[in-house]
Amino acid sequence: MVVQTIPARIRWAVDFIDVQPTDHILEIGCGPGTGAELICSRLETGKLFAIDRSESGVDRTKRRCAKFIEAGRLTVRQIDLATLRVPVKRLNKVFAFNVNLFWVRDASAEVALLHERVLPGGTVNIFYEATRREQVPEMVEKTSAGLVDAGFRVSVIDSKQPAAIGIIGRR
């Protein structure tokens, strides 16, 4: 089997969210499964629920992370965030990387859903690749506004290397 590399921006983001062994985490837009692989490697009794609207993204994550699915640490589903049903007050963290939903359209219903499901003290961690620096202000402004409107306290982190931005909503 060919070892697939994990991009530096994904490593940086997963390191930032500080996955704890008992965390219950939702990943929005799991794509090729790189984030899921890193997150699951840090879980012991915790669980990751990874979703993607794309069938190919779900398939790629399932193939890449089969051992974590077998171990019961990972569940992967093809579903849109708006239709997600997760028990209320269950999640410690939410992780998303390059999920444009939060800044390209009104995502108030989806962010409200996250607010209902994240435990007090938990975080919603939305990251974007920031190679197009001219887009960063709009990404930060729109994503932050959506989180604040839903009741999250927001902070922003900006990394030049790797070029990434994080908008963190704390419940």
Side-chain angles (χ1 to χ4, degrees):
M1 182 171 157
V2 175
V3 175
Q4 297 172 327
T5 60
I6 297 175
R9 66 185 181 278
I10 301 296
R11 287 188 185 282
W12 171 80
V14 171
D15 285 347
F16 179 84
I17 69 170
D18 190 29
V19 175
Q20 297 301 302
T22 59
D23 278 345
H24 286 255
I25 301 172
L26 169 65
E27 181 181 8
I28 304 164
C30 56
T34 55
E37 180 181 9
L38 275 179
I39 290 168
C40 288
S41 70
R42 299 171 187 197
L43 296 173
E44 291 172 11
T45 58
K47 309 255 187 250
L48 174 65
F49 186 55
I51 64 171
D52 202 299
R53 294 182 314 166
S54 158
E55 183 179 353
S56 67
V58 167
D59 289 344
R60 288 165 48 200
T61 297
K62 285 180 176 179
R63 280 194 308 275
R64 183 179 192 125
C65 299
K67 68 181 179 183
F68 299 118
I69 294 169
E70 291 169 19
R73 282 187 263 170
L74 174 62
T75 301
V76 186
R77 295 284 181 266
Q78 181 183 356
I79 191 168
D80 188 270
L81 177 59
T83 58
L84 178 66
R85 299 295 170 252
V86 173
V88 173
K89 304 287 185 271
R90 185 70 178 271
L91 300 169
N92 304 98
K93 296 176 176 114
V94 175
F95 175 78
F97 204 106
N98 283 344
V99 177
N100 291 332
L101 158 72
F102 299 105
W103 76 280
V104 299
R105 70 168 182 81
D106 176 24
S108 55
E110 290 88 345
V111 176
L113 179 144
L114 295 176
H115 192 269
E116 291 174 355
R117 280 143 181 86
V118 172
L119 290 161
T123 56
V124 174
N125 305 273
I126 303 170
F127 298 94
Y128 298 104
E129 191 168 10
T131 52
R132 298 169 100 181
R133 297 306 289 182
E134 71 278 3
Q135 290 182 326
V136 169
E138 185 179 7
M139 290 173 172
V140 170
E141 179 185 339
K142 290 182 175 179
T143 303
S144 296
L147 290 168
V148 167
D149 289 349
F152 290 97
R153 294 182 319 274
V154 173
S155 59
V156 177
I157 56 166
D158 190 355
S159 170
K160 302 295 186 227
Q161 196 57 269
I165 189 90
I167 300 96
I168 314 306
R170 183 169 298 280
R171 190 165 183 319

